[in-house]
Amino acid sequence: MAQNLQTPCLLVAMAHPDDAELLVAGTLFHLKEAGWQLGILTMTAGDCGSTSIPREEIARIRYGEAQAAAKFLGATYICAGLMDVEVFANTKNLRRVVDCMRQFDPDVVITQSPVDYMLDHEETSRLVRGACFALAMPNYETRQNPPAKTGRATPALYYADAIEGKNPLGERVYPHFYVDITQKLAKKRDMLAHHASQREWLRAHHGMDEYLDRMTTWAAGFGGECGVAYAEGFRQHLGHGYPHEPILQNALAQYVHVRDGS
Ligand SMILES: [Zn+2]
């Protein structure tokens, strides 16, 4: 997966299959159209995502769904092989995540919000933040067999909005900027629909297409904050040692908005 300046590479690193679709897929379709190389990494294969199907089987099903969804977008999908509800920022997991991320050697990384409704999401955020820092350190050994090549440079790091855009106390955490995904909403819904096991589960419980509709409701809510129909929100990690250039904002300039009244 070699990159060059003509084809920048973006990696979305999320906890579970379908998090990328729920949170950032509209933006991904914009970037695909702009010629970017795209990757999706999930920490787990979603082994707890069913109340009736055994762990190994639902993980296999959801891995397949994630792979098909990534193919629909035109992205490469890999899974770090961690377990649902056990995503923790520890040494063993960091080594695995760094190795997975080195396989992409991305210019830009999007991960989950540092504050979110679920610990798996917050710990993924911490793991990916740490992994970005270690990506290009030649002395950081992932101890995988065989290990991936050391990355070229620390990638620019962005955080997606939390699920529903809220922290664990239910308070809205506003993004730095929004991407207008109105033109890509239909594709985002189609990509999310690849996660049939999750969609059916919710449809059986709620009697309506809750899975696709609540994502659409969230995107409409974010859009309402910046004056467009549908949007996705992002914050850039601007700590010492990480690129501060607004790479994503520049690449998506025609779709980028700030919050109304800010
Ligand atoms: Zn998730």
Side-chain angles (χ1 to χ4, degrees):
M1 294 178 216
Q3 290 81 48
N4 57 52
L5 288 173
Q6 279 71 49
T7 57
C9 175
L10 178 135
L11 176 65
V12 182
M14 298 286 181
H16 313 114
D18 82 7
D19 284 332
E21 288 81 346
L22 286 168
L23 297 168
V24 300
T27 299
L28 298 183
F29 280 106
H30 279 314
L31 291 170
K32 186 71 192 173
E33 199 169 79
W36 282 51
Q37 191 178 351
L38 302 175
I40 297 175
L41 164 67
T42 64
M43 301 300 118
T44 85
D47 55 290
C48 290
S50 173
T51 52
S52 56
I53 304 170
R55 235 192 76 213
E56 292 79 9
E57 197 183 335
I58 189 65
R60 188 183 51 75
I61 291 169
R62 296 195 67 190
Y63 182 88
E65 290 170 349
Q67 213 164 28
K71 195 174 168 204
F72 176 72
L73 165 69
T76 304
Y77 170 69
I78 63 171
C79 176
L82 311 186
M83 295 294 140
D84 277 352
V85 205
E86 288 185 357
V87 178
F88 290 109
N90 60 34
T91 305
K92 183 167 161 274
N93 291 346
L94 183 68
R95 287 173 182 166
R96 250 201 242 186
V97 172
V98 171
D99 205 80
C100 287
M101 290 176 58
R102 280 179 174 172
Q103 293 175 40
F104 291 92
D105 195 12
D107 302 282
V108 177
V109 171
I110 300 174
T111 189
Q112 318 226 215
S113 171
V115 291
D116 208 329
Y117 83 104
M118 187 188 181
L119 263 187
D120 275 1
H121 289 195
E122 296 188 354
E123 292 289 314
T124 296
S125 191
R126 281 159 54 81
L127 269 170
V128 173
R129 174 183 166 186
C132 284
F133 211 83
L135 205 74
M137 287 176 166
N139 283 357
Y140 185 75
E141 296 174 11
T142 62
R143 293 157 174 90
Q144 308 300 301
N145 189 21
K149 228 176 104 213
T150 306
R152 292 162 300 148
T154 304
L157 176 61
Y158 289 82
Y159 300 110
D161 256 338
I163 296 288
E164 287 191 81
K166 291 176 180 171
N167 71 15
L169 302 177
E171 298 153 341
R172 177 73 172 112
V173 177
Y174 289 105
H176 290 165
F177 65 95
Y178 300 82
V179 174
D180 179 358
I181 61 154
T182 307
Q183 290 172 27
K184 303 297 182 195
L185 183 77
K187 284 200 161 176
K188 179 174 162 116
R189 281 179 67 100
D190 288 347
M191 187 177 172
L192 184 60
H194 282 78
H195 296 273
S197 65
Q198 305 307 291
R199 187 184 182 189
E200 291 312 321
W201 187 77
L202 279 166
R203 193 143 56 179
H205 277 250
H206 297 265
M208 55 186 204
D209 209 346
E210 176 79 9
Y211 194 53
L212 302 188
D213 290 342
R214 70 179 179 181
M215 174 279 284
T216 306
T217 302
W218 298 337
F222 304 151
E225 292 172 356
C226 65
V228 303
Y230 300 101
E232 291 167 344
F234 296 91
R235 282 169 292 163
Q236 184 169 7
H237 185 92
L238 294 174
H240 178 76
Y242 292 77
H244 286 197
E245 297 80 24
I247 302 175
L248 206 52
Q249 297 91 316
N250 289 345
L252 296 163
Q254 59 181 310
Y255 304 110
V256 169
H257 293 260
V258 293
R259 185 153 62 102
D260 280 352
S262 68

